[in-house]
Amino acid sequence: MLPGPPPGTPEAPPGAGGFAVVDVEATGRSPWRHRVVEVAVVLLDERLRPEGEFATLLDPLGPVGPTHVHRIRQCDVDGAPRFREIAPRLLELLAGRVLVGHHVSCDHAFLDREFARIGVSLPPVPLLCTMRLARAHLPEARSHGLAACVEAADLGWYPAHTALGDARVTAELLRHCLGAPSCPPDDWAGPLREAARVPWPRLGPARSGPSGAAVPLLRREAPYGPWLPDAQAPEVVLTHAGAMGSMA
């Protein structure tokens, strides 16, 4: 979990629901042709205090794509839920919140297409991009990729290209940028007010089978530290994270 908000964090506007920091790993680069194979959400309240985490691998109903990038093997998604099975919970987590990501338009596009495939239209949710924030408030970054921004903000090593690792460190980067003296409160107070007014769709719960059992999640945890060459790569641990409604 993340530590508390930076000192001097302003009060949020009334009715604000907070932030949902998201990251997806996908089977390729095109939201239209490829599928989400892992999704993570880190929830922060309106004052950037941690509220919970959600993460699971997903069965993309086909090849997992670039294993050399996301380190997900085909066997890792055996028994993982399909997107439709986690969609109701994901809608609940995102509702009323500002959607945050590093190059957030990419994560949003993949989520939008996954929901569209099951007949759900995402509302025009306010987006907050940590890449854009870093350009404005992290001038010492040598580039604006996530790893370079994390290094410039001195946030330490993290398990890159795991959805939960990227989402966690993006949440820390968000707080670093919003806490910068150069960042006016309007950079985030406005999106919070807008997010609180957006009506969200609802979905009935999905079931894994005739028994009516809750859909199990398959969570990937990797050690914090730099990714190494394949021969030295740290072990990634897959754990059954309980039912679909579970939050860490």
Side-chain angles (χ1 to χ4, degrees):
M1 275 296 196
L2 301 168
T9 301
E11 293 293 337
F19 304 88
V21 185
V22 300
D23 187 81
V24 304
E25 299 299 322
T27 63
R29 294 187 175 186
S30 169
W32 294 88
R33 294 187 291 110
H34 299 120
R35 302 295 302 270
V36 173
V37 71
E38 185 179 33
V39 61
V41 182
V42 173
L43 299 180
L44 303 175
D45 73 6
E46 66 280 359
R47 298 198 66 234
L48 305 174
R49 295 172 296 203
E51 293 188 304
E53 298 174 341
F54 173 92
T56 188
L57 290 167
L58 295 171
D59 180 356
L61 304 176
V64 296
T67 297
H68 67 284
V69 174
H70 54 47
R71 306 297 177 101
I72 300 169
R73 302 163 298 174
Q74 204 69 41
C75 62
D76 292 336
V77 299
D78 289 344
R82 299 178 181 183
F83 186 83
R84 170 64 181 89
E85 294 175 309
I86 65 132
R89 181 59 175 150
L90 205 50
L91 286 174
E92 292 175 0
L93 296 175
L94 301 180
R97 295 178 183 267
V98 177
L99 195 66
V100 181
H102 201 77
H103 193 14
V104 68
S105 60
C106 179
D107 298 290
H108 178 262
F110 271 101
L111 291 175
D112 187 62
R113 285 305 305 154
E114 289 289 356
F115 277 110
R117 288 185 180 104
I118 60 172
V120 175
S121 297
L122 288 186
V125 57
L127 306 178
L128 196 54
C129 183
T130 53
M131 181 181 289
R132 180 187 66 81
L133 288 170
R135 284 195 181 105
H137 308 299
L138 198 60
E140 60 271 35
R142 52 185 170 80
S143 71
H144 297 109
L146 183 57
C149 292
V150 167
E151 180 184 10
D154 197 23
L155 298 177
W157 291 108
Y158 69 103
H161 298 299
T162 65
L164 186 55
D166 284 357
R168 283 171 172 167
V169 82
T170 299
E172 293 187 49
L173 182 61
L174 173 72
R175 296 168 58 184
H176 181 90
C177 290
L178 295 187
S182 58
C183 184
D186 281 352
D187 267 18
W188 56 279
L192 278 173
R193 282 191 293 267
E194 183 183 346
R197 296 192 294 264
V198 174
W200 276 76
R202 297 283 181 177
L203 265 182
R207 297 298 177 183
S208 58
S211 66
V215 177
L217 303 178
L218 190 57
R219 181 162 165 155
R220 183 169 64 141
E221 289 278 4
Y224 268 61
W227 279 119
L228 302 171
D230 285 342
Q232 310 171 51
E235 182 180 359
V236 175
V237 179
L238 301 180
T239 59
H240 288 277
M244 183 177 61
S246 299
M247 290 284 289

